[in-house]
Amino acid sequence: MKNTTILALLASTMIASAAGAQTKTTAPVLNFYGNVDAAVQNYDNGVDSLIRAGDGGLSTSRLGFKGNSPDLGGIQFNFQLEGGLKANTATLGSTTTTGQVFAREAFVGVSGSAGEVRLGTTDLSMAGEIDTLSWQFGNFSNMPVNGAAIEIGTDASNVIKYISPSIGGFSIQAGYAGNSSTATTDAKADTTSGSLTYATGAAKLGVGYATKQATTSVGETDAKSIGGSYDFGAFSLGAAYVYGDNSATGDVKSTANVFSARMPLDKNGLVAHAVYAMAK
């Protein structure tokens, strides 16, 4: 409890001081960022049809804050608060859990030469890249197996996470979430996840693993993945293979193969993606 209180006070102090950041290079840093994805949809369910405004067509709309303290003798404290946004309904935060505003990221951490430790709600082992291990698009939740894919490094609550520094191109991330569902009636919902990546020049390779406990062995889920990508300059290619038991109601082994290509179209960030995936 004392450690939790100390971290909370540090985070509060850092946010307050960052808001009044000075121009010194040692001043705290506070960044406000976001993304709003809106579109026009032609909806037709076979009975009724209509044209309506929509959001989240290409990416998840979001608003967030992140920052860090000054360098305190080789150690820095940092934080991130990020919530999903729905422009159509002017909703910020989770649409399913009341009061959960920063459902995407909400952590405070400390970093130094030995790596970084994070506490809060966050990815267990770098979901944005390890999900597909191709560093090119989305995440594995967009490729559901048995209707509910377990991501490699999925967002979870009550996370304790470690991120190693890059040593010879190798980097490790490991995370543990005790009772990750946050349900008081589900004492066995611990999730453990880890990843090992290697980057050299234009090539990236990685492996990942995640497992989630349950009250019975049938309800336990897990996933293993391996993949990589190579940047040829004008375009890059990636591939990944994911294997695991993603069914909470039976012992069902599932696989997914993902192949992707990414081509920059200009110097301002416009990119074309092509994805081919098979799930069985």
Side-chain angles (χ1 to χ4, degrees):
M1 181 62 70
K2 289 183 179 179
N3 290 336
T4 303
T5 303
I6 290 172
L7 282 171
L9 288 173
L10 287 170
S12 299
T13 302
M14 182 175 60
I15 294 172
S17 58
Q22 303 172 3
T23 57
K24 298 178 180 179
T25 57
T26 57
V29 175
L30 176 62
N31 292 315
F32 171 73
Y33 65 95
N35 172 59
V36 180
D37 183 316
V40 176
Q41 296 178 338
N42 182 8
Y43 176 79
D44 188 343
N45 63 3
V47 178
D48 299 309
S49 63
L50 56 89
I51 295 177
R52 64 184 183 184
D55 53 22
L58 296 176
S59 62
T60 302
S61 297
R62 70 201 71 174
L63 288 176
F65 304 85
K66 61 181 177 180
N68 57 265
S69 71
D71 189 324
L72 305 173
I75 294 178
Q76 280 189 315
F77 293 94
N78 49 74
F79 78 97
Q80 184 173 357
L81 302 172
E82 180 178 300
L85 171 69
K86 287 195 173 295
N88 282 0
T89 58
T91 303
L92 175 64
S94 173
T95 57
T96 58
T97 304
T98 302
Q100 192 177 32
V101 177
F102 299 108
R104 293 177 58 86
E105 292 285 341
F107 70 81
V108 60
V110 57
S111 59
S113 59
E116 180 181 0
V117 175
R118 294 179 179 178
L119 303 176
T121 298
T122 187
D123 291 343
L124 282 173
S125 62
M126 197 172 60
E129 295 183 354
I130 293 302
D131 287 342
T132 60
L133 286 173
S134 62
W135 290 270
Q136 296 191 348
F137 68 98
N139 57 44
F140 187 55
S141 63
N142 294 325
M143 284 298 301
V145 181
N146 294 331
I150 180 172
E151 300 178 46
I152 303 297
T154 181
D155 284 336
S157 300
N158 307 315
V159 170
I160 303 171
K161 176 180 179 178
Y162 170 71
I163 305 172
S164 78
S166 178
I167 302 175
F170 287 94
S171 181
I172 296 174
Q173 293 202 19
Y176 170 76
N179 190 17
S180 59
S181 69
T182 69
T184 56
T185 57
D186 185 5
K188 283 194 173 182
D190 296 5
T191 302
T192 304
S193 178
S195 66
L196 171 65
T197 59
Y198 175 70
T200 175
K204 292 183 179 180
L205 302 171
V207 293
Y209 175 75
T211 180
K212 184 175 182 179
Q213 293 184 346
T215 54
T216 64
S217 59
V218 172
E220 293 180 354
T221 55
D222 65 81
K224 296 164 280 289
S225 65
I226 183 171
S229 66
Y230 192 88
D231 189 347
F232 293 91
F235 64 94
S236 58
L237 299 176
Y241 173 76
V242 184
Y243 170 85
D245 177 5
N246 297 330
S247 173
T249 59
D251 186 13
V252 180
K253 298 299 180 182
S254 303
T255 63
N257 296 279
V258 183
F259 304 94
S260 61
R262 183 177 185 272
M263 178 181 295
L265 299 179
D266 64 12
K267 297 181 180 180
N268 299 316
L270 184 63
V271 178
H273 294 254
V275 180
Y276 178 76
M278 297 175 291
K280 180 171 64 175

